[in-house]
Amino acid sequence: MTAELVRGQNHTLPQTRLEIRISAGAPVVAGATLGDEHGTVHGVERIAHPGSPQLPGLEVSRQAAAEHRLAVDLDALPEGVHRVTVLLALPLEAGGPARFGAVAAPFVAVTGLEGTEIATFTLTGLDSESAVAALELYRRHGAWKVRAVGQGYAGGLAAMLADQGVDRAAELAGSIQEAVARGLARSVSPPPPRTPEGDRVRHPARPAPAQGGGQPPAGQPPAGQPPAGQPPVGQPPVGPPAGRQSEPPAAVPSGPIDYAHPRRQSAAPPPPPPAAPPAGPGQPAQPVAGDATGWSMDERLYNQIWGMFEDLARATAAYRSAVDFAESRMDQELERTLSDPRSRIGGAGDLAREQARAKRDELTGRAREALDRDLAQLAAESAVVEPALPAPYAGWDNPVWHAYRVPMEIPMALRIGDLHLPESAALRIPLLVRLPLERGIWIDSGRTASEAAALTDGDQLHRLAMESAVLHAARLLAVYPAGEFSVHVIDPAGSAAAALAPLVRSGVLAGPPASGAGGVSSVLAQLTRRVDLVQMAIRAGAADSLPPDLDPAEQLLIVNDFPHGFDDRAVNQLRYLADEGPSVGVHLLMVADREDASAFGPVLDPLWRSLLRITPVADDHLADPWVGHAWTYEPLMTPPGSRVLELVLDRVASARRGGPR
């Protein structure tokens, strides 16, 4: 039940992973401060604002907007933080309102990651104030609570920051307003709107499944969010996917919206067509591709795919819950009946068993009928979505790859595989990860408990793992603009020459695959140096003063046969790249069997945990903590006999040489 707070009232938070959703009658700047037990903010590094939107456990919007969504993970906040204060301020723009009394009262909602409201607060009674501390999340006796504050400041953002003990508050407030005015950061689009029941708002022609509850693990990222965002399955859950951070259009168009990007050479998918009329009374209309919110067709498809993931997770969870309930009810009825010794003998006991089992079968049958209806609806949606996917979201068997052209900008996500559940093995949901990658990838070449792995010998597993790594590297090269992504390879024993042949022949690698101890040391030293230099340049505010020999492109390091050929120094460098590399554009793609590295003991545990684990064969290792599912991951493979991989790599290589894209 939602708690509707008034000024000064508090409410206990039932969870620590939250979203704070803000609606205002005019564009406002949203931020948050991290304070100690007294509410004092110790330095600008404890303030999240549009110019610096991310802190550990906290992410805010990047621009003034009438609607915001802030992501909060209370367990991930820095040590010593006892209070998170959410701030709102009016931007200093010509012609805009100068006081909150001139706009509609802002509304703030604290929600769970699935969108369920925990507490709401309407900031009434504001007049001359141009900044306000809306609410605060605070820790009391080990538990987190939310308090409605509503404290306004006529002196604006500077006065509010100064009240929290921030040094040089006026200077910081000015820099925040300048960042908003210059558009230094893009806005975070709101997530797909939800009905009061928590389902996605869909095209009127397509009702959403109304069973159970559950959310995708993320990844990834949050488009705000994230998912994370993110994150996708296998990464720490960060809630439902958020919108792509992109510039809103300057004006509302009067005619049909053109979703084609002006700088994109390949044609964008068409805008969603109107839904087909229902086949009959009470029947849902035909689904359409792009049936979700977003500024572009790519973003709409991204959000639609995550919505399909949510629906499948929710429908399956409801079915499993119904089956468990039916079994439990049958057991209880049998226990009550057979607890009387007189009913254990004769026809009464047999009749009771038959009735209990019949009731169980009826309940599970009704649950299966509901699941089948939802699966049929999702299958129909998948049938129209798959052909409409752009290359980064499409499988290798999609014809879009045969018309591939090197893009002018990176997409918001990349497909790295498919997901399915035992109840619906034929229905595959694309597994998308946000770009740029926020963590490395580990392709497990060891023998797992899956049936596919049990039927494959060790050498073949390793060969499939390396071929999978090549396909992932090719997809990453293909979705980045020419020259903005470089791939390095470490193959200490040269055992992956056959699998690496497509990358080597096309000339898309940054250099020949490194082999031997010297090659391993050279490549790791080069990439470690790059991470160090970029980090120092960023900290010094001199990102444009990097050495001329430093490659500014994103870097991917494919590592084969780890830990063979790696000494202690090389292992430490690899751990360093896994931890520090993603933030400065250096990513790992490791092909390894964890058992081979068991001699290192727990030293490598942080390395494995920092990477997203996938497999070269189907395996149900991706856990969904929201609804308890174990999703089966299916790797992407090129169709037998297809030359699509060579076609794509040749066009990437041609674009790098300045040829046609």
Side-chain angles (χ1 to χ4, degrees), residues 110-473:
V110 179
T111 75
L113 296 181
E114 75 286 355
T116 303
E117 291 184 347
I118 299 171
T120 63
F121 175 41
T122 302
L123 284 76
T124 57
L126 299 176
D127 187 11
S128 61
E129 299 88 344
S130 59
V132 59
L135 55 78
E136 63 182 16
L137 314 177
Y138 65 99
R139 179 159 43 191
R140 182 68 52 83
H141 303 304
W144 284 93
K145 298 183 177 182
V146 57
R147 177 186 291 121
V149 179
Q151 175 64 52
Y153 294 83
L157 190 58
M160 181 166 52
L161 294 174
D163 191 42
Q164 297 188 33
V166 178
D167 294 332
R168 303 170 69 179
E171 181 179 339
L172 175 59
S175 67
I176 294 174
Q177 294 287 6
E178 288 176 8
V180 174
R182 294 196 308 265
L184 291 180
R186 299 177 180 178
S187 63
V188 177
S189 302
R194 296 177 177 272
T195 66
E197 290 77 16
D199 289 327
R200 288 182 296 150
V201 171
R202 300 178 180 274
H203 202 283
R206 182 200 170 204
Q211 297 188 52
Q215 287 296 318
Q220 308 294 273
Q225 227 355 111
Q230 94 131 304
V233 178
Q235 301 194 21
V238 294
R244 176 76 183 274
Q245 298 176 359
S246 54
E247 293 280 351
V252 177
S254 58
I257 299 174
D258 181 10
Y259 287 103
H261 194 283
R263 293 192 292 120
R264 187 178 305 208
Q265 292 193 359
S266 58
Q283 296 295 319
Q286 296 298 317
V288 295
D291 184 13
T293 58
W295 291 107
S296 67
M297 188 60 172
D298 287 3
E299 183 183 359
R300 294 169 67 154
L301 287 167
Y302 174 87
N303 286 333
Q304 185 174 14
I305 288 170
W306 275 110
M308 292 166 61
F309 179 98
E310 290 181 346
D311 288 346
L312 180 55
R314 184 182 301 116
T316 305
Y319 170 72
R320 293 180 181 180
S321 177
V323 170
D324 290 343
F325 170 77
E327 294 285 350
S328 174
R329 176 170 177 169
M330 181 187 69
D331 292 341
Q332 291 175 5
E333 290 180 351
L334 289 176
E335 183 179 356
R336 284 196 301 268
T337 301
L338 300 180
S339 61
D340 184 355
R342 293 171 297 179
S343 63
R344 298 179 187 175
I345 303 174
D350 294 338
L351 179 62
R353 292 186 186 93
E354 291 177 3
Q355 291 176 340
R357 290 178 182 133
K359 186 63 175 179
R360 187 245 350 240
D361 294 342
E362 178 188 357
L363 292 174
T364 55
R366 284 159 48 189
R368 186 70 212 194
E369 289 177 4
L371 176 64
D372 289 342
R373 285 196 301 269
D374 290 338
L375 293 180
Q377 183 176 325
L378 286 168
E381 184 174 14
S382 178
V384 298
V385 167
E386 280 285 354
L389 294 178
Y393 301 174
W396 286 112
D397 56 349
N398 192 310
V400 71
W401 283 107
H402 294 279
Y404 165 77
R405 294 293 183 272
V406 176
M408 300 296 291
E409 62 177 1
I410 69 170
M412 66 184 299
L414 178 70
R415 185 174 185 169
I416 63 169
D418 292 330
L419 301 173
H420 62 87
L421 292 169
E423 289 84 354
S424 53
L427 179 59
R428 308 297 173 90
I429 305 295
L431 173 58
L432 304 179
V433 295
R434 295 299 299 269
L435 293 179
L437 294 173
E438 297 179 354
R439 62 192 301 197
I441 297 175
W442 163 31
I443 303 178
D444 189 352
S445 60
R447 189 175 299 281
T448 63
S450 71
E451 180 180 355
L455 298 175
T456 310
D457 63 51
D459 292 340
Q460 187 179 5
L461 274 176
H462 189 84
R463 178 181 58 80
L464 292 174
M466 198 60 206
E467 291 176 353
S468 181
V470 170
L471 292 175
H472 288 305

Side-chain angles (χ1 to χ4, degrees), residues 4-139:
E4 298 181 359
L5 305 180
V6 297
R7 187 174 279 107
Q9 189 177 4
N10 61 47
H11 181 72
T12 301
L13 295 172
Q15 59 197 80
T16 57
R17 300 179 65 84
L18 307 164
E19 289 179 357
I20 299 175
R21 301 184 179 185
I22 300 167
S23 299
V28 297
V29 180
T33 61
L34 305 181
D36 59 17
E37 60 270 21
H38 305 295
T40 303
V41 179
H42 298 282
V44 296
E45 65 276 5
R46 292 293 178 94
I47 304 175
H49 56 82
S52 178
Q54 291 182 328
L55 295 177
L58 177 65
E59 182 174 3
V60 304
S61 303
R62 300 171 181 264
Q63 195 176 26
E67 293 188 0
H68 294 271
R69 183 180 67 175
L70 282 60
V72 181
D73 184 351
L74 297 174
D75 290 334
L77 294 175
E79 187 177 358
V81 172
H82 290 259
R83 188 175 303 179
V84 180
T85 304
V86 177
L87 315 175
L88 304 179
L90 294 171
L92 302 179
E93 57 180 356
R99 58 189 184 90
F100 275 106
V103 300
F107 173 80
V108 183
V110 179
T111 75
L113 296 181
E114 75 286 355
T116 303
E117 291 184 347
I118 299 171
T120 63
F121 175 41
T122 302
L123 284 76
T124 57
L126 299 176
D127 187 11
S128 61
E129 299 88 344
S130 59
V132 59
L135 55 78
E136 63 182 16
L137 314 177
Y138 65 99
R139 179 159 43 191

